[in-house]
Amino acid sequence: DSEGRTLAAETIGTVTPMLVNITNAEFVASLGADLIMLNIFDVNDPIIQGLPQTSPEDTIREVKRLTGRMVAINLEPAVIKDGQEESVWNLTTGRQATVENARKAADMGVDMIVLTGNPGVGVDNEAIIQALSRLKEAVGDRVILTAGKMHASGIISEAGEKILTEKDVEAFVDAGADVILLPAPGTVPGITMEYAGNLIRKAHEKGALAMTTIGTSQEGADEDTIRQIALMCKMAGTDIHHIGDSGTFCHCLLWDFDQGSDRGSEKRGRPHRSRHAGQALWPRHVQRRIDARGRRRPDSCGRPGESHRQRGRHVAPHARHAACLFRRVRHRLRRGPATEQLGRHAVYLGVRRLR
């Protein structure tokens, strides 16, 4: 029903957020993301920098509560390599595409599991098919299963056009995939709009959705490049537009989601983009007072023993200040790049006030 307007934003929770003490997941949700994809998320050691203190098993529920968005995580059907140089991409046991990890993710509240591979991990399509079969039987009735690759993931024989073929699409859907993930046109050599269109048509024929992805650092490119890729994806017939986590881990998102001629506007049109902007951030001062299990936080407003009227004394001024601040922020952001830093700083201060 979205007619190709759905936006998925990928973030990494283990790095310092762009807004320091505000999660990147909340940031991209405020800028128009419909689906939040958590990369480098370890189900055995869940870390989301900037998240309020919560128990590990409630990490995903807390992200969903604060953002109001579906949450996906990446699991990788690959083996852990010994003797690797230290890197954020190095695979851990909690990120492998095993039945045990998938069940843990479902219990934590994950809505979608993405079977794919980070750079150099070494995920091939046959491994994805085998993992799909196991996970479909184990958690297929609890989560959406997405499968595919954004790049070669260290497999030279599956580079360029060989990253994904129509035969692979059929095999993925037959193994249990609900969504087929493929590189966006122009992000990988040989993946043209026509080639991507053929893969998407095949996915639709098999009853699956398609997600075109920018996972090759071009998410940090200029607006014109993002705009061209976005329009090619829509002309190819994609259902979900993904933007990755490269650059400074969300530096690109202020441009790609929030500027007047951004990816969000290209995909949705200004009326739909404005609707998302109107929903952004403001409910957060209410959400922050309730924990992941629906209980009011003891320090959420006022002091112990105070009446509701006395507590209002502490809360209302901050809420009023934030409302005015966000109106000024939106006005400044619309004025263009000259005031970008001022607007970005104001967003940061405003969000801190709400916490």
Side-chain angles (χ1 to χ4, degrees):
D1 295 336
S2 68
E3 297 182 323
R5 296 190 182 98
T6 303
L7 296 177
E10 192 170 11
T11 70
I12 295 180
T14 55
V15 300
T16 302
M18 186 174 180
L19 299 180
V20 186
N21 64 341
I22 303 298
T23 65
N24 282 337
E26 294 170 87
F27 184 42
V28 298
S30 74
L31 299 179
D34 302 295
L35 170 66
I36 296 168
M37 295 173 59
L38 302 178
N39 196 10
I40 318 296
F41 185 85
D42 190 315
V43 296
N44 296 327
D45 184 24
I47 297 174
I48 302 292
Q49 298 287 351
L51 199 68
Q53 186 174 359
T54 187
S55 59
E57 62 271 17
D58 286 333
T59 301
I60 296 295
R61 294 187 185 90
E62 182 74 353
V63 173
K64 292 169 66 173
R65 185 185 66 81
L66 291 173
T67 61
R69 303 293 192 272
M70 292 177 60
V71 172
I73 66 168
N74 295 339
L75 293 181
E76 304 175 60
V79 296
I80 299 175
K81 300 176 182 178
D82 296 326
Q84 284 186 310
E85 294 183 5
E86 187 174 349
S87 169
V88 68
W89 309 117
N90 289 350
L91 191 60
T92 60
T93 55
R95 287 169 40 209
Q96 289 181 296
T98 64
V99 169
E100 181 184 2
N101 287 344
R103 284 176 175 155
K104 283 184 180 179
D107 292 340
M108 294 173 75
V110 168
D111 300 293
M112 176 188 290
I113 292 176
V114 181
L115 298 176
T116 187
N118 274 299
V121 171
V123 175
D124 60 40
N125 289 337
E126 183 59 34
I128 292 177
I129 294 171
Q130 294 176 9
L132 268 172
S133 300
R134 294 192 296 269
L135 267 59
K136 183 67 175 180
E137 183 178 353
V139 296
D141 58 339
R142 301 174 63 189
V143 300
I144 299 169
L145 292 176
T146 298
K149 295 201 294 184
M150 308 177 194
H151 42 71
S153 185
I155 305 297
I156 298 177
S157 61
E158 293 182 358
E161 294 181 357
K162 296 179 181 179
I163 287 177
L164 196 67
T165 65
E166 291 188 27
K167 183 179 179 181
D168 293 325
V169 172
E170 291 185 7
F172 286 174
V173 177
D174 290 342
D178 302 300
V179 182
I180 298 299
L181 180 152
L182 66 148
T187 63
V188 171
I191 304 297
T192 63
M193 185 175 70
E194 291 74 19
Y195 189 85
N198 291 334
L199 296 180
I200 292 170
R201 277 192 292 274
K202 178 60 68 174
H204 288 168
E205 288 173 6
K206 297 287 290 183
L209 298 178
M211 177 192 296
T212 47
T213 62
I214 307 178
T216 50
S217 297
Q218 286 157 298
E219 55 266 43
D222 60 276
E223 292 180 61
D224 288 339
T225 300
I226 296 294
R227 182 185 298 115
Q228 290 179 42
I229 293 173
L231 289 175
M232 284 193 292
C233 290
K234 192 158 190 176
M235 286 188 283
T238 192
D239 302 292
I240 305 169
H241 303 264
H242 160 282
I243 189 162
D245 50 33
S246 187
T248 54
F249 302 102
C250 284
H251 171 74
C252 59
L253 291 169
L254 183 68
W255 289 100
D256 297 341
F257 281 105
D258 205 44
Q259 297 298 320
S261 56
D262 65 355
R263 185 176 175 87
S265 291
E266 293 297 332
K267 291 273 94 32
R268 299 187 174 112
R270 292 181 185 272
H272 286 275
R273 177 65 189 92
S274 298
R275 179 176 177 274
H276 273 261
Q279 294 175 330
L281 288 177
W282 171 239
R284 203 157 174 267
H285 74 282
V286 175
Q287 296 173 358
R288 280 282 176 185
R289 297 182 195 139
I290 307 297
D291 66 16
R293 296 187 179 276
R295 301 168 298 199
R296 191 179 73 81
R297 297 183 186 279
D299 58 346
S300 60
C301 59
R303 289 182 283 271
E306 288 186 327
S307 66
H308 291 291
R309 185 181 297 276
Q310 289 172 319
R311 285 174 181 163
R313 217 175 44 233
H314 303 287
V315 177
H318 293 287
R320 287 197 299 269
H321 170 76
C324 296
L325 185 58
F326 287 132
R327 281 196 293 269
R328 293 202 300 271
V329 170
R330 290 195 184 106
H331 173 69
R332 286 169 180 167
L333 288 175
R334 290 188 186 111
R335 288 169 59 185
T339 55
E340 179 202 359
Q341 284 303 124
L342 180 61
R344 203 182 284 179
H345 183 61
V347 169
Y348 173 67
L349 291 179
V351 172
R352 284 192 64 190
R353 288 289 183 138
L354 293 183
R355 295 189 69 176

